[in-house]
Amino acid sequence: NPLEDAKRAAAYRAVDENLKFDEHKIVGIGSGSTVVYVAERIGQYLQDSEYSDLVSKFVCIPTGFQSRNLILDNKLQLGSIEQYPRIDIAFDGADEVDEHLQLIKGGGACLFQEKLVSTSAKTFIIVADSRKKSPKHLGKNWRQGVPIEIVPSAYVRVKNDLLEQLHADKVDIRQGGSAKAGPVVTDNSNFIIDADFGEIKDPRKLHTDIKLLVGVVETGLFIDNASKAYFGNSDGTVELVT
Ligand code: DER
């Protein structure tokens, strides 16, 4: 599957080039389908006698329920962000990445713990297939809007503020669809709102404006956070953007 090959190529290269087994001990593991290959790659090192004792000392910090299972499935040590508030390196996917490495994340509704981990890490690396690389501004490719985690009781107020104060084009509560009647409920028992602002020329300002709205827990705009992004192509080549 060419798309999976692209994701795997990006993830493997990112781990091989950035994970320093003698230096890194606390490793953040993101959510989504690409970061699966990051955990898989680290797990492979665990099987390799040359690295196994070093890797067995790693403690992996999850970014949600799926991420927690990914760590366990790859027989890696699971730790909590409470025990390890300072993380050496974190890997995660993204929905869209602009030319300054600003991100839209939250397609998987895990953005709060993802941002808690990514901003607690000394180094934060993005792994993605090349579809996620935006030609210019955020909001160009990812037309599902900016994911925003909100306190459930505030959803009408936040929706109104996004439309009236921040002039969002479209604002929707993320529904469970065929998986669940009613809204998606996050690992933190909150709702997700997707707000479409079209092309986002100043993601830092938009993040701040949204964050200040009463009822907003966190936004899916990750500003000045990622230091590198690996974009995988289906032919197995990988583009590194720093
Ligand atoms: O929700 C997120 O931000 C995830 O990292 C996710 O959107 C990335 O998804 P993918 O790796 O499955 O493309």
Side-chain angles (χ1 to χ4, degrees):
N1 172 331
L3 182 58
E4 292 310 305
D5 294 345
K7 295 178 181 180
R8 184 186 298 105
Y12 279 31
R13 171 99 177 266
V15 170
D16 295 351
E17 286 189 356
N18 295 278
L19 204 47
K20 298 185 175 40
F21 297 93
D22 48 353
E23 190 183 311
H24 294 139
K25 293 287 169 280
I26 315 302
V27 182
I29 301 291
S31 301
S33 62
T34 309
V35 77
V36 165
Y37 298 109
V38 166
E40 182 180 274
R41 188 60 165 173
I42 299 173
Q44 287 169 5
Y45 280 107
L46 194 62
Q47 308 311 320
D48 179 335
S49 57
E50 194 186 333
Y51 295 93
S52 53
D53 58 334
L54 284 170
V55 180
S56 60
K57 292 190 184 66
F58 278 3
V59 178
C60 293
I61 312 301
T63 52
F65 188 86
Q66 179 219 34
S67 169
R68 189 180 174 285
N69 285 343
L70 185 55
I71 292 164
L72 297 173
D73 291 349
N74 285 282
K75 310 217 179 334
L76 299 169
Q77 268 202 76
L78 181 68
S80 71
I81 188 81
E82 295 92 332
Q83 295 164 295
Y84 302 97
R86 300 194 200 304
I87 294 170
D88 295 316
I89 186 168
F91 297 89
D92 202 347
D95 297 312
E96 194 170 20
V97 185
D98 79 4
E99 54 189 344
H100 305 297
L101 291 184
Q102 312 300 18
L103 314 175
I104 291 181
K105 283 179 58 56
C110 295
L111 67 97
F112 175 76
Q113 289 190 42
E114 287 176 330
K115 192 177 277 190
L116 183 56
V117 167
S118 69
T119 56
S120 303
K122 284 184 219 126
T123 305
F124 178 43
I125 310 273
I126 291 296
V127 290
D129 63 85
S130 51
R131 292 173 306 164
K132 309 305 187 71
K133 188 166 180 278
S134 164
K136 194 133 177 61
H137 297 304
L138 291 178
K140 190 112 181 63
N141 297 346
W142 179 257
R143 292 314 307 257
Q144 292 159 54
V146 175
I148 303 164
E149 181 146 343
I150 63 157
V151 176
S153 59
Y155 85 89
V156 177
R157 166 69 186 277
V158 174
K159 181 168 177 155
N160 291 344
D161 289 352
L162 286 166
L163 290 166
E164 293 155 18
Q165 289 180 30
L166 302 190
H167 312 301
D169 303 328
K170 193 165 170 295
V171 175
D172 295 302
I173 299 267
R174 190 169 306 173
Q175 297 295 332
S178 56
K180 175 188 179 289
V184 164
V185 177
T186 70
D187 292 332
N188 318 300
S189 306
N190 290 322
F191 287 173
I192 295 285
I193 272 181
D194 292 297
D196 188 354
F197 293 91
E199 279 204 66
I200 301 167
K201 293 186 172 43
D202 186 346
R204 181 180 291 104
K205 182 176 183 320
L206 182 58
H207 161 71
T208 309
D209 291 346
I210 296 172
K211 190 74 190 272
L212 287 174
L213 298 178
V214 173
V216 168
V217 174
E218 193 47 75
T219 84
L221 292 167
F222 285 48
I223 304 301
D224 301 336
N225 191 186
S227 55
K228 288 183 187 178
Y230 288 81
F231 296 102
N233 300 305
S234 50
D235 62 0
T237 56
V238 177
E239 182 190 3
L240 166 60
V241 176
T242 58

